Amino acid sequence: MSATAAPGTTPPTESDTPPTPTSTTSWTSTAGETAGTGGRAGATAPAGATPPSPAPAPAARPALDWRLRFGALSLIWGFSFLLIKVGTEGYAPFQVTLGRLLSGTAVLAVAMAVRRERLPRGARTWGHLAVAAFFLNALPFSLFAYAELTIPSTLAGICNATSPLWGMALSLVALSEDRPTRRRVAGLGLGFLGVLTVLGAWQGFSGLDFTGTAMALLASLSYPIGWIYVRRTLAGSGSSTLALTGSQLFLGTAQIALVTPLFTSAPDGFPLLPTLAVVALGALGTGLAVLLQYGLVAEVGPTTAQMVTYFIPVIATAAGVIVLGEQLSWNTPVGALVVLAGAALTQSRARSGRPSAGRSHNAGAATGVETGAGENAGTGAREKAATGTETGAMEKAATGAGTGARTKAATGAGDHP
C-alpha cells in the first residue's frame, strides 16, 4: 500500500486514473495535444470531406503552484490530529466524527454540483461504497476520536504513519501482483521497530494508555483494508473519483448518524472552539483535502503527490507540542523517523527499464483516500483508493507499498485522518 490519500477518500478508479502525471482524472480538465489537422496548413481539403475541428484551447494553469498546494495539503492533514483533540474537549467522539463527515460531505456535494457530476449507478456499486465508507471513514475517524481522549495528538499522528506498513503486509496476502522483496520486507521490519521505539517497549510501555494506543493503531490498519477492498471491487465502475468519494462520505455520514444517538446524548451546548475545530476538520481535512489531493495526482503524478505522507507526522507532532503543549520524550521523534524510513523502504521498487507503477495507466487506482495520514487521505488511496475513497488515498490516499501507488495515489500514510 502506499501513497497519500485522503485519508478516508476513494482512490481514483481505473476509468479516471491519469495515464501520465500530466494527464487528469475524470473530473480535472486538461488540454490534449493538437489533433491532426488533415494535412499541412494551407492544404485544400478534398471535396465532400468534413473540415477538421479546431484544436482545443490550452487548459488554464492552476491559480496556485502545485508546491503551494502540496504544502497546504501537508498542513491540513498534519493539523487534523490537533483538531480532533480540540473537538473532543467539547463533544463525544461519535459527535466529532459525525460533524466531521457532515462538513466534508457538504464540501464535496458543492464540488459535485459545480462540476455537474452524476451519482454512481447500481445497487452493487453503492453496496461496495458502503463497505468502503465503513473502513475508510466511519471506523477510523471514530477510533482516532476515541483514542485521543487518552493519548496525545502527537502519538495519534505517528500511529497514523504506520498505514503504509499495514498496507504492505496485507497486500502481500490479498493482492497477488504484489511480491515481497528483501528491501520491502526489511522496510516492514524497520517500520515496526520504529513503532516499538515510539511506544517505549524497553520500558514496558510505561506511561502509555494501552487502549487509546491500540485504537489509533487499529484506525491506521483500517485504511489499507478499505483501500484493498476498493481496489478489488470498484475499479472500472465507470464513475468519476469525485462522484465515488462524495457518495462514500455520504454513506459514512449516514452510518455514523445511525450509531451516534445510541451511544451519546445531545450536547448541552455548542462551545465555540470545539465547534470550529470539528467544522474545520471536516471542511478542510475531509473535504478540501480530497480536492487538493486528486488535483496534485493529476498534475504531478502519484509518486510526487504521495510524498505528503512523510510530512504529516512531523507536522502533527510539531502542532501538538507547540499549540497544545504536549510533552515529547526523545523516543517519540526518533521512533517516528524510523517508522517513516521503514515506510519509504516498503514503497520503494527496484529500478527497471519499464515505466514505474506511478507512471502507469493504473497509477492511483483504487480509493482515497488510500486515506491517511490522512489520516491518511486518501485518501486512501491510491492510490486509487479511498478513496480510498490515501485519503490517502488515499488513498490515503493515501503510498505505494502494498496497495502501491496504484491504490492510494496520494494519501499519505493514513492519509488523511
Side-chain angles (χ1 to χ4, degrees), residues 332-346:
T332 301
V334 170
L337 291 175
V338 176
V339 168
L340 293 177
L345 280 177
T346 63

Side-chain angles (χ1 to χ4, degrees), residues 2 7 62 64 72 95 116 118 120 122 125 139 146 155 160 168 178 207 231 249 253 261 265 344 352 393 396 411:
S2 73
L64 290 178
Q95 292 169 343
R116 297 181 179 180
R118 294 177 178 271
T125 297
L139 180 60
Y146 270 103
L155 179 56
N160 180 74
M168 198 213 80
D178 283 313
R231 181 175 172 180
L249 287 182
T253 303
S265 56
S352 67
K396 291 242 32 215
T411 174

Side-chain angles (χ1 to χ4, degrees), residues 90-109:
Y91 298 101
F94 275 131
Q95 292 169 343
V96 171
T97 302
L98 179 59
R100 173 185 187 172
L101 285 171
L102 279 171
S103 300
T105 301
V107 170
L108 292 190

Side-chain angles (χ1 to χ4, degrees), residues 43-327:
T44 302
T50 302
S53 57
R61 294 179 62 83
L64 290 178
D65 183 80
W66 72 266
R67 297 171 186 82
L68 294 177
R69 286 177 282 129
F70 182 96
L73 182 60
S74 301
L75 287 172
I76 289 172
W77 275 340
F79 269 84
S80 292
F81 300 95
L82 178 150
L83 294 175
I84 293 172
K85 173 67 78 172
V86 174
T88 56
E89 293 176 356
Y91 298 101
F94 275 131
Q95 292 169 343
V96 171
T97 302
L98 179 59
R100 173 185 187 172
L101 285 171
L102 279 171
S103 300
T105 301
V107 170
L108 292 190
V110 171
M112 290 175 65
V114 169
R115 293 169 179 172
R116 297 181 179 180
E117 292 284 351
R118 294 177 178 271
L119 291 174
R121 296 181 179 180
R124 186 180 185 86
T125 297
W126 282 92
H128 290 316
L129 284 173
V131 175
F134 175 76
F135 284 109
L136 292 169
N137 303 118
L139 180 60
F141 290 1
S142 299
L143 286 174
F144 271 119
Y146 270 103
E148 292 199 40
L149 291 176
T150 56
I151 66 173
S153 65
T154 53
L155 179 56
I158 293 171
C159 287
N160 180 74
T162 63
S163 279
L165 304 177
W166 295 118
M168 198 213 80
L170 290 173
S171 69
L172 296 180
V173 177
L175 301 175
S176 59
E177 67 268 32
D178 283 313
R179 293 286 184 264
T181 64
R182 283 180 294 180
R183 177 182 298 182
R184 296 176 69 189
V185 171
L188 184 63
L190 182 64
F192 283 110
L193 178 63
V195 173
L196 294 177
T197 302
V198 170
L199 300 181
W202 65 92
Q203 301 173 341
F205 306 104
S206 60
L208 288 177
D209 181 80
F210 176 80
T211 301
T213 303
M215 284 184 173
L217 290 173
L218 286 174
S220 303
L221 171 61
S222 180
Y223 287 123
I225 292 175
W227 300 330
I228 291 173
Y229 179 84
V230 169
R231 181 175 172 180
R232 295 173 69 106
T233 60
L234 288 174
S237 66
S239 297
S240 72
T241 298
L242 179 58
L244 290 173
T245 304
S247 301
Q248 176 187 302
L249 287 182
F250 170 76
L251 291 173
T253 303
Q255 292 170 3
I256 292 299
L258 292 174
V259 172
T260 299
L262 302 178
F263 294 93
T264 64
S265 56
D268 296 330
F270 297 93
L272 180 60
L273 196 57
T275 300
L276 291 176
V278 171
V279 172
L281 179 63
L284 299 180
T286 306
L288 177 61
V290 171
L291 303 178
L292 289 174
Q293 175 189 6
Y294 290 110
L296 286 171
V297 172
E299 184 173 350
V300 300
T303 301
T304 299
Q306 75 182 12
M307 294 302 294
V308 72
T309 299
Y310 304 107
F311 292 89
I312 294 172
V314 176
I315 295 172
T317 299
V321 173
I322 297 173
V323 180
L324 298 180
E326 296 176 346
Q327 299 299 313

